[in-house]
């Protein structure tokens, strides 16, 4: 009897986890393979619960970012949106199409996996981090900010019906929490039936389960934008690896001190692809704020160079989609005939534990594959070099890293001592144009000054 009681207690301890709700159980069932035996354990259920929790956190972020968004007033067309936002619409188009086919085939596991891949590999890990600066630092009615909000709006309206069959409670909670529509209704107009003389208004859906499948527009599919951002994300992956290594070694204190240099081997289309993203938007009015670092003014908008791929010009910007995507203060983009690994810090030496140490060369040469997507081809490979630089590891010089005011390879990336913005906390090169200071003192970068002048006129000093 004691052995039986002991075994029962051990079995109970194995399942001693807090109740996770019906959505987790439904998602666990949907994630299980239907072609064989289905096994369940505490670890399996908790792993599924982690995925559902990530879905919930993503939906909460979207709902919070849409607090002041009205689709009827603020929504933009795909042609008016930035390339990154159009790439998100392209991803939503593919996700909704694949999910519809999997639901028709009753392969729920593929739906669960597709939503996870979309959320983990792109939406929450890349997109939300890339648009954070636009959402929180730009002026309220900045077209770039409204573009990001439009993309988030379409994401909610598409993602909620897709996950509703497997996570109905989560989808319905998010549906009723949409800030741009009265609780329990939909922002779409009421549906009418019958002749115009005797039109009958149908009640708006009271639940996401009554909405039907999301109306994905064919214009969302954009293969050219997908090819463009496929190249950008390959470069971003290498840059983020360098930034992670420099942060773990104590040379960086987050992306606000990071500066990125990307050198493209000429000739080739990779430079033009990255330059088109780098010069796409910057200021509150959507205009580019990049500037040529070397060469004459003819390099603006063309990427520099002499036309033969010799690369005597370069683009550097502190406010661009490429900068926001790589989570750094600035990106310098240039091209050269030969790629070499750059030494990150030249001088002075940094002392750690009484020993003078030099920063390792946080630089890498890697390939970028263009084309070949969906055609069974490998694609064309182009080489690029990515390098990580910084202003200072910390403002007071504590915690290791370069002392305050130290520049990393200034002839390649800095072009001058950078100043820290008191609002966005990023380091920018003082240009003397469009900059200012807040009422409480402190330097403000040009982007923050423009945003504050629009939202709070007369409260920003010069």
């Amino acid at each position: 009897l004691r052995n039986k009681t002991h075994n029962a207690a051990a079995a109970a301890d194995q399942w001693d986890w807090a109740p996770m709700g019906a959505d987790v159980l439904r998602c666990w069932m949907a994630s299980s393979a239907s072609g064989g035996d289905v096994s369940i354990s505490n670890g399996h259920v908790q792993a599924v619960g982690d995925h559902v929790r990530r879905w919930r956190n993503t939906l909460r972020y979207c709902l919070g970012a849409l607090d002041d968004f009205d689709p009827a007033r603020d929504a933009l067309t795909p042609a008016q949106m930035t390339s990154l936002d159009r790439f998100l619409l392209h991803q939503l188009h593919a996700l909704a199409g694949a999910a519809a086919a999997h639901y028709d085939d009753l392969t729920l596991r593929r739906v669960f996996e597709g939503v996870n891949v979309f959320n983990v590999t792109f939406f929450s890990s890349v997109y939300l981090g890339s648009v954070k600066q636009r959402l929180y630092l730009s002026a309220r009615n900045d077209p770039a900010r409204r573009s990001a909000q439009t993309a988030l709006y379409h994401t909610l309206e598409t993602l909620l019906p897709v996950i509703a069959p497997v996570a109905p409670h989560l989808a319905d909670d998010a549906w009723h929490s949409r800030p741009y529509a009265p609780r329990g209704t939909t922002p779409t107009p009421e549906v009418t039936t019958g002749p115009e003389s005797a039109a009958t208004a149908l009640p708006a859906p009271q639940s996401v389960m009554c909405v039907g499948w999301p109306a994905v527009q064919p214009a969302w599919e954009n293969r050219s934008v997908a090819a463009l951002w496929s190249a950008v994300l390959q470069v971003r992956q290498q840059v983020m690896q360098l930034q992670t290594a420099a942060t773990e070694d104590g040379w960086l204190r987050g992306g606000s001190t990071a500066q990125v240099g990307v050198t493209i081997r000429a000739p080739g289309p990779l430079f033009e692809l990255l330059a088109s993203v780098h010069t796409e938007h910057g200021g509150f009015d959507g205009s580019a704020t990049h500037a040529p670092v070397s060469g004459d003014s003819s390099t603006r908008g063309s990427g520099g160079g002499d036309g033969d791929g010799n690369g005597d010009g370069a683009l550097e910007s502190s406010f661009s989609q490429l900068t926001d995507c790589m989570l750094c203060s600035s990106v310098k983009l240039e091209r050269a005939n030969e790629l070499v690994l750059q030494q990150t810090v030249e001088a002075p030496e940094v002392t750690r534990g009484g020993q003078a140490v030099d920063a390792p060369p946080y630089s890498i040469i890697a390939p970028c594959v263009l084309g070949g997507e969906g055609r069974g081809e490998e694609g064309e490979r182009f080489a690029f070099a990515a390098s990580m630089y910084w202003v200072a590891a910390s403002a007071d010089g504590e915690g290791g890293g370069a002392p305050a005011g130290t520049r990393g390879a200034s002839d390649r990336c800095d072009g001058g001592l950078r100043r820290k913005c008191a609002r966005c906390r990023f380091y920018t090169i003082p240009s003397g144009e469009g900059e200012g200071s807040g009422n409480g003192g402190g330097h403000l970068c040009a982007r923050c000054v423009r945003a504050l002048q629009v939202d709070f006129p007369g409260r920003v000093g010069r």
Side-chain angles (χ1 to χ4, degrees):
L1 180 60
R2 286 197 302 270
N3 290 337
K4 291 182 178 180
T5 304
H6 176 75
N7 293 337
D13 291 339
Q14 181 181 0
W15 295 95
D16 187 16
W17 42 271
M20 297 184 182
D23 279 349
V24 175
L25 186 60
R26 292 174 66 95
C27 288
W28 162 78
M29 192 68 251
S31 64
S32 302
S34 59
D37 295 337
V38 177
S39 60
I40 184 173
S41 68
N42 190 24
H44 290 163
V45 178
Q46 287 185 347
V48 174
D50 291 339
H51 289 299
V52 177
R53 185 168 58 254
R54 293 191 186 98
W55 294 3
R56 185 178 185 86
N57 292 338
T58 299
L59 295 176
R60 288 181 61 187
Y61 188 98
C62 295
L63 293 171
L66 294 173
D67 181 65
D68 64 337
F69 181 77
D70 182 2
R73 180 193 64 202
D74 303 321
L76 304 181
T77 63
Q80 297 173 317
M81 300 169 68
T82 64
S83 62
L84 177 59
D85 299 328
R86 295 199 303 271
F87 181 55
L88 174 59
L89 296 184
H90 177 84
Q91 298 279 68
L92 290 174
H93 183 278
L95 174 65
H102 294 321
Y103 275 129
D104 291 340
D105 297 337
L106 298 180
T107 52
L108 303 184
R109 182 181 183 183
R110 299 299 184 187
V111 177
F112 183 81
E113 292 175 349
V115 174
N116 276 335
V117 169
F118 168 78
N119 184 44
V120 174
T121 63
F122 173 70
F123 187 63
S124 63
S125 60
V126 176
Y127 180 81
L128 293 183
S130 301
V131 301
K132 181 172 60 176
Q133 309 299 331
R134 282 194 272 157
L135 290 173
Y136 294 107
L137 298 180
S138 301
R140 179 183 295 270
N141 292 318
D142 184 341
R145 182 174 183 267
R146 293 305 188 191
S147 174
Q149 288 183 314
T150 302
L152 295 178
Y153 160 72
H154 287 308
T155 300
L156 275 179
E157 296 296 314
T158 303
L159 195 59
L160 292 181
V162 169
I163 68 173
V166 295
H169 297 89
L170 174 61
D172 218 37
D173 286 347
W175 175 264
H176 289 295
S177 299
R178 294 169 302 156
Y180 49 80
R183 184 175 298 274
T185 64
T186 179
T188 57
E190 291 184 338
V191 181
T192 58
T193 60
E196 295 182 359
S197 58
T200 303
L202 299 180
Q206 298 298 312
S207 170
V208 67
M209 306 301 293
C210 304
V211 174
W213 196 249
V216 178
Q217 304 176 17
W220 290 5
E221 186 178 13
N222 194 324
R223 295 186 179 275
S224 60
V225 170
L228 167 66
W229 275 93
S230 174
V232 173
L233 294 183
Q234 291 180 63
V235 177
R236 180 188 185 273
Q237 181 181 7
Q238 301 297 333
V239 169
M240 296 308 297
Q241 291 179 2
L242 296 177
Q243 188 175 128
T244 300
T247 302
E248 292 178 349
D249 293 344
W251 292 93
L252 280 180
R253 287 289 183 88
S256 62
T257 62
Q259 303 156 45
V260 176
V262 179
T263 304
I264 313 298
R265 175 174 291 172
L270 181 57
F271 183 90
E272 283 70 20
L273 290 177
L274 297 182
S276 66
V277 176
H278 201 30
T279 61
E280 184 175 353
H281 82 87
F284 77 94
D285 58 352
S287 62
T289 58
H290 70 281
V293 177
S294 59
D296 55 24
S297 59
S298 63
T299 60
R300 179 179 295 273
S302 63
D306 56 6
D308 298 326
N310 294 328
D312 59 350
L315 294 175
E316 182 175 11
S317 175
S318 295
F319 318 117
S320 72
Q321 281 203 103
L322 202 60
T323 305
D324 293 343
C325 176
M326 296 184 182
L327 308 181
C328 60
S329 282
S330 68
V331 173
K332 180 181 179 181
L333 186 63
E334 57 186 347
R335 51 188 171 189
N337 291 326
E338 297 295 334
L339 302 180
V340 295
L341 292 176
Q342 299 294 329
Q343 179 68 33
T344 304
V345 171
E346 298 174 349
E349 294 181 339
V350 177
T351 302
R352 287 182 177 176
Q355 299 292 329
V357 297
D358 290 326
Y362 292 104
S363 180
I364 189 174
I365 297 178
C368 180
V369 180
L370 301 181
E373 183 179 1
R375 297 179 298 178
E377 303 175 1
E378 183 179 352
E380 191 172 1
R381 299 167 68 90
F382 296 92
F384 69 93
S387 303
M388 183 66 57
Y389 311 90
W390 52 83
V391 178
S394 62
D396 53 6
E398 297 180 355
T406 299
R407 295 182 297 166
S410 61
D411 60 321
R412 288 194 39 86
C413 196
D414 252 345
L417 286 175
R418 296 174 180 265
R419 296 185 65 184
K420 185 177 183 179
C421 177
R423 179 172 180 258
C424 68
R425 319 300 290 178
F426 279 82
Y427 289 84
T428 59
I429 301 176
S431 62
E433 298 180 0
E435 297 176 345
S437 61
N439 290 338
H443 169 73
L444 293 177
C445 66
R447 174 172 59 179
C448 290
V449 168
R450 286 194 297 266
L452 292 175
Q453 286 176 341
V454 172
D455 290 340
F456 306 98
R459 298 181 63 180
V460 180
R462 285 291 186 180

